[in-house]
Amino acid sequence: MPPFPKPTIDYVYDVAAEKRALRAHRKLRGIPSKTADTVLIATWNVANLGTQLRRDEDFALIAEMLSWFDIVAVQEVNDNFADLAYIVQLMGTKYRYVMSDASGNNERMAFVYDSRKIKLSEEIGEVAFPPSQYKSVKVDGANGDFAGFDRSPYLGTFVAQHFSLTLLNVHLYFGSAQTADIHRRALETAAVARWARLRAASKYATTRDVLALGDFNMPRGEPGNLVYSAATKAGLKRPDHSSQVPSAIASDNQYDQILYFPEQTEPKLKAMGVFDYDTAIFSSLWNGAVNQDRTKFCAYLRYYMSDHRPVWCQMTMAPVSG
């Protein structure tokens, strides 16, 4: 998307103090520490990474939050990916990243992972349907035809010890709130769900746990929403979160999701939530410069941090008895 306007507020903060605030809120929101027998997965649309003029202090806070997880799907990495590279550098020498080619809006998608635990497996790349299969993608109640992705989902397979999983990193079409754009978004969602179902069922699949995660631009994750229905019809599930907050900071929209097939993955799922970092940091800005004006506060956050909140889950790597 186009860069957000740069705020005119001149605000200086103490990185160490803000990190302490984030860590305290992390504990409150129940994000566990890394353990040898679990894998912590997250998705975060960091918003215009590489186009907005974030400062070293901002990168340090973003790196802090990303480092809590074993693997993170990141969206909205601009074709200029120097900011992503710098964030990963701040996370330490054991972190790695892989990324897609630039597509719609000149954006890339990336996976950032802790190489001490997570290893990149053989299958990685962008997902695309051949035109001959376009007509197989349908959504009840949606007009128009699927015509491919605006931003191709980015597929990654990963291994940790004897545990393996497939992650499908998505940033689906938004366009506008017009009906035609919502229908197009629902068709893209149905294509993601169809691909995930076929992959999970394939005898050639290298993993059985297939998670579709990222920015679905899903207004509401509940029955009756066309985008949600397009995801769940193929069997993908959106579980209840431990923190019942939306993923979009300036609205109650649930754009960002981690979806999975319950028959395979649910027994391994230990916890899931949304991390509302915006309620923990920059308290002096909230109480001072913006005078508790939510609009001004969000404008500052969306430029220097993000207008999205990270969504996370924890899975066990131990065999699940049946």
Side-chain angles (χ1 to χ4, degrees), residues 21 30 76-77 85 98 100 114 166 183 207 243 277 282 293 308 320:
E76 286 199 29
V77 178
V98 290
S100 69
D114 186 341
T166 295
H183 289 187
T207 68
S243 49
Y277 74 88
F282 304 156
D293 184 322
H308 292 247
V320 178

Side-chain angles (χ1 to χ4, degrees), residues 107-238:
E107 295 173 16
R108 299 172 183 266
M109 283 169 278
F111 292 107
V112 178
Y113 60 98
D114 186 341
S115 67
R116 291 168 294 188
K117 179 189 290 187
I118 304 293
K119 306 300 180 186
L120 184 64
S121 192
E122 289 80 6
E123 189 175 14
I124 186 166
E126 297 184 28
V127 169
F129 277 77
S132 61
Q133 294 185 18
Y134 284 179
K135 292 188 180 299
S136 66
V137 179
K138 298 181 182 297
V139 177
D140 293 339
N143 299 321
D145 298 317
F146 176 67
F149 293 103
D150 185 60
R151 290 173 286 238
S152 295
Y154 189 41
L155 156 72
T157 55
F158 300 89
V159 175
Q161 298 179 19
H162 302 295
F163 176 82
S164 62
L165 73 163
T166 295
L167 299 181
L168 191 59
N169 186 349
V170 307
H171 187 188
L172 300 187
Y173 179 77
F174 181 79
S176 71
Q178 297 296 316
T179 299
D181 287 344
I182 294 174
H183 289 187
R184 179 176 170 181
R185 195 184 318 157
L187 287 163
E188 284 200 6
T189 305
V192 167
R194 176 178 170 79
W195 185 94
R197 171 55 74 188
L198 291 173
R199 172 55 56 185
S202 172
K203 64 181 180 179
Y204 304 113
T206 57
T207 68
R208 291 301 171 198
D209 288 293
V210 178
L211 281 67
L213 72 172
D215 184 355
F216 286 80
N217 278 309
M218 185 183 294
R220 302 297 299 171
E222 58 191 22
N225 179 269
L226 192 65
V227 179
Y228 174 83
S229 298
T232 56
K233 186 176 181 180
L236 287 171
K237 181 178 180 180
R238 175 192 181 270

